[in-house]
Amino acid sequence: MDSIGTNTAPGPGATSPAPAPDLVTVPTRQGLEAVDIIRRGAGLAAPGVGPVLHDGSGDTLGFLVPPGTADAWDLPGSACTQTNGRGMRFGDLAAAPTAGGTGWLLPPDAVGPVTDPEVLRAALGEAARLIEAADNCR
């Protein structure tokens, strides 16, 4: 029996594009502290920080994290959204973000692929405690 229709399956050896990473957004001050915390811990059995975006107004930083992170992210003071590649070409490391004046704080070609969500969660918690302690010393 002959089959009629279009075969949409990829051919042998073809690979589908990698899913787009999710984005954890935090206030800039906390995000910068978290970047420093992760970088200090990198190489001590903890993975390093991945690409980080900053918004045009300077209010927030966005950490690229593995796809699916948004499904279980629940850290107060932050948000995690699925990007589905909107506004960015993740496969092109030289591509500059274009949405609303957003730019790279840490571009993909200078750091690892994405930030580990557990490492980020721990760093954001530590950053929040450091900021609270500093603010209480005034």
Side-chain angles (χ1 to χ4, degrees):
M1 177 168 17
D2 291 332
S3 173
I4 301 174
T6 305
N7 182 1
T8 59
T15 60
S16 60
D22 289 350
L23 183 72
V24 173
T25 308
V26 298
T28 298
R29 185 174 177 200
Q30 184 180 14
L32 290 172
E33 287 289 345
V35 167
D36 288 343
I37 291 164
I38 295 170
R39 285 188 150 182
R40 283 194 311 262
L44 304 174
V49 67
V52 178
L53 292 161
H54 65 82
D55 67 358
S57 66
D59 293 336
T60 61
L61 291 184
F63 293 81
L64 296 184
V65 293
T69 300
D71 296 337
W73 190 263
D74 61 354
L75 187 67
S78 67
C80 187
T81 56
Q82 296 174 341
T83 65
N84 297 324
R86 288 184 306 262
M88 302 185 69
R89 294 176 297 156
F90 293 103
D92 182 0
L93 296 181
T98 59
T102 300
W104 291 113
L105 175 68
L106 297 173
D109 56 348
V111 292
V114 292
T115 301
D116 179 277
E118 292 307 314
V119 170
L120 180 58
R121 182 183 300 277
L124 289 171
E126 184 177 341
R129 291 186 295 278
L130 288 171
I131 290 168
E132 182 178 4
D135 288 351
N136 289 335
C137 288
R138 293 182 183 177

